[in-house]
Amino acid sequence: MLDFQALVISERTEPAGWAGLTAVRCSGGHSAEEPVTAAAVVLVRRGVFVRHADGRAALADVTTGYLQRPGETQRVSHPGGGDVCTSLRIPPELADRFAHAGPVHVSAAADLIHRRLLAALPGDRADLVGELIAALLPASRVTRPAHPAVEGVRELLHTDPGLGLTALAASAGWSPWYLSRSFRQVTGCTLSAYRRRLRVRAAIDELVTDRAAGLAAVAVRAGFADQAHMTRAIRDETGSPPAALRRRLSGNG
């Protein structure tokens, strides 16, 4: 029996050509294989999962989303437990642009727009959808297609964010130098930057979902050395300190 449950948290009709925005929570396990019926960009807000589509596997997390298109057949597995993601349906011509651009890398700016969009009032959604698409489609990219060894390293970092370069390289069967070089070519960032982004986005998610939590407690749970370390990292990634970001994403700022 499959341990996969998808709960539609919200489904909204978007203006001017956007077919809908759906937030989905999955409990874990494996989904059944299913056909894709609509073009969409899928972004992860929390957790990690692997999408298997037409013979290829790709890991999706808060730093990397994906494009799905009609005609594909997909199934999803959850190596790290459950996740929360957002599916933004897009018109075919925009799907073509995403397909041409390559992997959907989610910058800190795009991640914040994504979170603002989920919390936005109806009248604010059109502009935010436009901002999000623009942030996800930069003018140029220098990254290479996903590689199974790099995807495996990303998955390990979700399981144990403290793993060092030597252990990660051994898991991939590469030298530390080659892993560092290849990881940056595929993801567009260094291993240390990727590790920091995972921690920053875990902290941001908790700032919003647990508004009563103190900043020091959030820092520890997200893997930072202390509150000051978290504050510096979040400010460097987003331009705002944690307290201001919490107010902004909660609609109080």
Side-chain angles (χ1 to χ4, degrees):
M1 182 176 179
L2 296 174
D3 181 24
F4 174 85
Q5 296 177 357
L7 170 66
V8 176
I9 300 172
S10 60
E11 187 161 11
R12 306 166 179 173
T13 301
E14 304 300 331
W18 307 104
L21 177 71
T22 306
V24 181
R25 177 179 288 115
C26 300
S27 62
H30 305 271
S31 74
E33 193 169 72
E34 61 181 5
V36 175
T37 58
V41 174
V42 178
L43 305 177
V44 180
R45 183 162 64 85
R46 185 189 315 143
V48 56
F49 60 89
V50 180
R51 178 184 185 247
H52 307 264
D54 296 340
R56 298 184 301 274
L59 187 143
D61 65 10
V62 290
T63 72
T64 309
Y66 64 86
L67 169 70
Q68 64 178 37
R69 308 185 77 178
E72 296 176 328
T73 300
Q74 66 180 10
R75 62 182 177 86
V76 175
S77 57
H78 298 78
D83 62 79
V84 179
C85 63
T86 304
S87 175
L88 176 63
R89 295 184 191 177
I90 57 176
E93 61 272 18
L94 189 54
D96 290 341
R97 289 182 59 194
F98 271 100
H100 179 73
V104 182
H105 293 298
V106 185
S107 65
D111 182 66
L112 288 180
I113 298 168
H114 170 206
R115 295 171 189 274
R116 288 169 56 204
L117 176 59
L118 290 173
L121 296 172
D124 298 328
R125 290 178 196 146
D127 287 343
L128 286 171
V129 167
E131 286 184 37
L132 179 57
I133 295 300
L136 293 171
L137 280 174
S140 63
R141 285 201 176 112
V142 296
T143 55
R144 294 183 178 180
H147 188 286
V150 173
E151 299 289 83
V153 166
R154 292 175 59 207
E155 186 175 321
L156 278 175
L157 284 172
H158 279 275
T159 304
D160 186 355
L163 282 174
L165 176 60
T166 301
L168 293 170
S171 74
W174 289 344
S175 69
W177 173 85
Y178 191 75
L179 173 60
S180 295
R181 176 173 174 269
S182 299
F183 192 93
R184 185 163 190 167
Q185 288 176 332
V186 169
T187 66
C189 67
T190 64
L191 271 162
S192 59
Y194 181 81
R195 197 191 314 266
R196 183 175 64 250
R197 288 175 184 176
L198 292 182
R199 288 173 172 158
V200 164
R201 297 189 194 182
I204 291 172
D205 189 62
E206 189 162 351
L207 287 172
V208 178
T209 57
D210 186 0
R211 298 176 190 177
L215 295 182
V218 171
V220 171
R221 289 197 288 267
F224 291 101
D226 51 34
Q227 180 178 333
H229 182 203
M230 178 183 75
T231 298
R232 289 194 301 272
I234 289 179
R235 184 185 286 116
D236 288 345
E237 280 281 309
T238 70
S240 299
L245 202 57
R246 172 180 263 170
R247 290 193 298 270
R248 181 183 180 191
L249 294 176
S250 300
N252 298 322

